[in-house]
């Protein structure tokens, strides 16, 4: 029986993988400009890390984690997101003591969530994310959002919508929490079991429930913005002021609740407004998570970040009909005629590659016409044709597939000729 790929995962094949490589390169360039450094953390972590950070009342923790016991009977989990790992690493490596502050990091790698697969939703997906830890300047909130926005804009996307909200500090959250309990409690019997469990533990999660989304009480629920204390309100105002200074359009939406528990103050998402993007329009999400370092046993350090999946970025490119400028070209294809010339191209190919050129030859014993076709198919810039006669005279015939121009040159000068065809 044939074995197929697991549900919600995908193979990224040649032809498609070039887009990923282009995006990865671009992301690194942007991070460099914004001065974020790469961090690589393990694919799995102790399960406890996600319980304490993402939150044990969230869908991610309750329903979506790939958790297993290893042979030493430890409970481990394939990371569903990157923030918890980065913050764990920050604490473990005592990065708060580093000379250069704040610590600005980025990551790129696979994450795993047992979700119902659909367009834009995978069980293994690749997240690019950044985390800035050690500053509670609202300007860094704006910087993080600007970075995310720059990523999309640099790819040519324009149908973007940045939505921001403030979830306030602890005091504001407590006041809002009490108001939410008062709002939902009398009718909690009409809500799903998850929501019933969340009422006392974490009523804000009710606002994020997928099942009860249409319940009338959802629309009339007390807004967090009405419960912000003075500090939180001022913080949020500054964030908005800085976004305006950065020329980034945004809308405030007090209903924006993120699916993870660690957020305080700023929360944001960038949506695609492209037609035909599909039901899930969120391209990226993030926010501030002051207090998270302490939750996992470290010293206090404020932080903010976001993550986006490459899968959804690609989907938005498709929805906006954007072709990435991929230039996949091969410098030269060696065409040979006759046994001796064919043998000779083995060494010649090696010489070209050692000189830094991308080069290919025929491995299927094809006729000359088919060899030209093969060269065309891989977008070779030049073909170099070697027959018995040329070989005897130490010559080779080089043809530009772009202009059709041909030149016969000495084999020893082939590398130079390919690097500067016009000079020959
Ligand atoms: P999140 O909202 O859970 O936040 O995920 C962030 C992004 O990951 C989403 O906006 C989406 O692009 C992508 N994503 C999530 N689930 C899937 C899926 N099943 N398939 C494809 N893409 C998906 C976080 O993960 C936070 N760690 C973000 C953050 C960083 N907050 C602060 N720092």
């Amino acid at each position: 029986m044939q074995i197929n790929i697991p549900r919600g995962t995908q193979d990224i094949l040649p032809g498609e993988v070039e887009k990923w490589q282009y995006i990865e390169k671009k992301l690194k360039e942007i991070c460099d400009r914004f001065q974020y450094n790469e961090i690589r953390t393990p694919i799995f972590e102790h399960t406890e890390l996600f319980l304490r950070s993402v939150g044990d009342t969230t869908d991610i923790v309750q329903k979506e984690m790939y958790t297993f016991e290893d042979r030493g009977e430890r409970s481990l989990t394939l990371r569903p997101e990157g923030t918890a790992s980065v913050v764990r690493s920050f604490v473990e490596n005592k990065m708060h003591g580093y000379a250069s502050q704040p610590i600005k990091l980025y990551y790129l790698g696979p994450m795993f969530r047992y979700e119902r697969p659909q367009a834009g939703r995978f069980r293994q997906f690749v997240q690019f994310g950044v985390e800035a830890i050690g500053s509670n300047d609202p300007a860094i909130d704006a910087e993080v959002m600007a970075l995310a926005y720059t990523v999309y804009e640099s790819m040519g996307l324009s149908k973007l919508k940045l939505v921001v909200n403030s979830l306030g500090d602890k005091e504001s959250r407590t006041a809002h929490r009490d108001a939410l309990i008062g709002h939902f409690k009398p009718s909690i019997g009409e809500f799903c079991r998850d929501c019933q469990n969340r009422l006392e533990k974490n009523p804000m999660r009710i606002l994020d429930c997928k099942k009860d989304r249409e319940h009338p009480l959802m629309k009339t629920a007390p807004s967090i913005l009405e419960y912000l204390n003075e500090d939180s309100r001022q913080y949020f105002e500054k964030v908005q002021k800085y976004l305006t200074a950065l020329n980034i359009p945004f809308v405030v939406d007090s209903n924006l609740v993120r699916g993870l528990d660690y957020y305080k103050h700023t929360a944001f998402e960038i949506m695609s407004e492209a037609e035909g993007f599909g039901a899930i329009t969120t391209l990226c999400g993030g926010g501030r998570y002051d207090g998270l370092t302490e939750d996992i046993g470290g010293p206090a350090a404020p932080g903010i970040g976001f993550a986006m999946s490459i899968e959804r970025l690609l989907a938005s490119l498709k929805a906006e009909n954007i072709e990435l400028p991929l230039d996949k070209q091969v410098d030269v294809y060696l065409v040979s005629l006759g046994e001796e010339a064919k043998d000779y191209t083995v060494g010649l190919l090696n010489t070209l590659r050692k000189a830094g050129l991308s080069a290919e030859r025929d491995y299927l014993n094809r006729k000359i016409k088919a060899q030209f076709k093969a060269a065309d198919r891989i977008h070779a810039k030049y073909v170099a044709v070697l027959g018995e006669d040329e070989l005897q005279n130490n010559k080779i015939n080089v043809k530009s597939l772009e202009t059709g121009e041909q030149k016969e040159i000495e084999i020893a000068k082939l590398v130079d000729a390919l690097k500067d065809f016009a000079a020959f």
Side-chain angles (χ1 to χ4, degrees), residues 60 80-83 107 113 115 120-123 125 127 130-131 152 258-260 262-263 269 282-289 304-309 311-312:
I60 296 181
E81 59 105 51
T83 312
Y107 49 90
R113 295 186 193 177
E115 294 195 84
R121 184 171 280 158
F122 295 86
R123 289 187 172 164
F125 54 97
Q127 263 190 358
V130 312
E131 312 294 348
Y152 295 118
R258 307 267 304 118
L260 307 95
Y262 46 61
Y263 294 113
E269 288 187 353
T282 306
L283 294 178
C284 102
R288 181 160 276 285
Y289 45 82
I304 176 152
F306 74 81
M308 63 172 67
S309 69
E311 288 81 356
R312 287 196 198 165

Side-chain angles (χ1 to χ4, degrees), residues 285-392:
R288 181 160 276 285
Y289 45 82
D290 302 352
L292 183 54
T293 50
E294 290 147 288
D295 291 345
I296 61 174
I304 176 152
F306 74 81
M308 63 172 67
S309 69
I310 309 301
E311 288 81 356
R312 287 196 198 165
L313 168 57
L314 285 164
S316 63
L317 289 168
K318 199 167 165 209
E320 288 201 32
N321 285 318
I322 294 170
E323 292 281 344
L324 296 176
L326 309 174
D327 65 357
K328 197 173 180 276
Q329 272 207 322
V330 176
D331 291 319
V332 59
Y333 190 96
L334 293 181
V335 169
S336 54
L337 278 120
E339 200 62 26
E340 229 180 299
K342 205 170 71 182
D343 291 348
Y344 190 84
T345 57
V346 172
L348 186 56
L349 189 71
N350 194 37
T351 307
L352 296 169
R353 287 173 176 170
K354 277 196 164 159
L357 295 161
S358 55
E360 188 54 295
R361 81 190 268 280
D362 170 57
Y363 287 108
L364 294 174
N365 223 350
R366 280 178 278 215
K367 298 247 160 51
I368 184 153
K369 210 170 150 195
Q371 290 187 44
F372 268 95
K373 238 191 195 154
D376 226 24
R377 214 171 280 135
I378 62 167
H379 308 293
K381 278 189 252 175
Y382 297 100
V383 283
V385 187
L386 191 68
E388 309 272 295
D389 288 350
E390 283 98 344
L391 188 56
Q392 263 177 13

Side-chain angles (χ1 to χ4, degrees), residues 8-252:
T9 68
Q10 58 177 348
D11 297 319
I12 302 156
L13 307 177
E16 185 66 16
V17 83
E18 292 78 10
K19 294 183 195 162
W20 287 73
Q21 290 165 343
Y22 175 90
I23 291 169
E24 286 160 9
K25 199 166 154 226
K26 203 82 192 189
L27 293 174
K28 284 176 186 159
E29 276 169 25
I30 294 170
C31 285
D32 213 32
R33 268 194 267 153
F34 280 75
Q35 281 298 292
Y36 284 73
N37 298 307
E38 188 177 4
I39 180 168
R40 300 183 189 194
T41 61
I43 301 283
F44 57 83
E45 297 271 0
H46 291 292
T47 303
E48 179 69 18
L49 175 67
F50 302 112
L51 302 186
R52 278 209 244 160
S53 55
V54 173
D56 55 8
T57 55
T58 58
D59 273 357
I60 296 181
V61 165
Q62 287 190 340
K63 301 174 188 164
E64 298 171 1
M65 294 207 304
Y66 282 91
T67 297
F68 60 98
E69 211 169 75
D70 75 0
R71 286 167 197 272
E73 293 176 3
R74 298 170 198 93
S75 178
L76 298 171
T77 294
L78 298 184
R79 58 183 188 188
E81 59 105 51
T83 312
S85 303
V86 171
V87 171
R88 181 213 30 83
S89 179
F90 174 91
V91 170
E92 198 165 342
N93 292 293
K94 301 189 171 45
M95 291 188 209
H96 57 275
Y98 284 14
S100 168
Q101 296 288 335
I103 303 292
K104 293 169 49 169
L105 302 165
Y106 81 89
Y107 49 90
L108 181 70
M111 307 291 160
F112 307 84
R113 295 186 193 177
Y114 190 80
E115 294 195 84
R116 197 170 56 79
Q118 61 187 99
R121 184 171 280 158
F122 295 86
R123 289 187 172 164
Q124 175 174 334
F125 54 97
V126 174
Q127 263 190 358
F128 160 71
V130 312
E131 312 294 348
I133 311 175
S135 164
N136 57 9
D137 182 341
I140 207 157
D141 300 41
E143 174 181 278
V144 160
M145 288 185 253
L147 199 163
Y149 210 80
T150 302
V151 167
Y152 295 118
E153 278 193 330
S154 74
M155 309 275 167
L157 292 161
S158 59
K159 299 189 173 123
L160 302 168
K161 182 169 149 192
L162 169 64
V163 182
V164 294
N165 190 19
S166 171
L167 303 177
D169 60 8
K170 217 170 181 177
E171 190 186 78
S172 318
R173 290 278 286 268
T174 307
H176 183 231
R177 182 197 138 92
D178 293 345
L180 284 173
I181 296 178
H183 179 75
F184 286 115
K185 203 168 188 172
S187 320
I188 196 66
E190 297 164 20
F191 285 76
C192 72
R193 190 167 297 257
D194 284 341
C195 285
Q196 293 178 14
N197 290 332
R198 286 162 177 159
L199 182 70
E200 299 290 340
K201 268 183 151 175
N202 191 355
M204 211 168 192
R205 283 266 75 82
I206 297 176
L207 303 175
D208 193 37
C209 180
K210 288 168 192 139
K211 277 191 215 143
D212 292 319
R213 205 182 326 203
E214 301 303 326
H215 194 288
L217 280 186
M218 289 292 209
K219 286 193 183 68
T220 54
S223 151
I224 177 71
L225 295 181
E226 289 161 28
Y227 291 83
L228 294 185
N229 59 15
E230 194 48 28
D231 283 354
S232 302
R233 203 185 51 73
Q234 278 181 13
Y235 194 94
F236 192 35
E237 266 175 20
K238 276 269 188 184
V239 170
Q240 295 178 60
K241 189 175 154 196
Y242 292 143
L243 282 174
T244 306
L246 289 167
N247 260 326
I248 300 176
F250 65 93
V251 292
V252 174

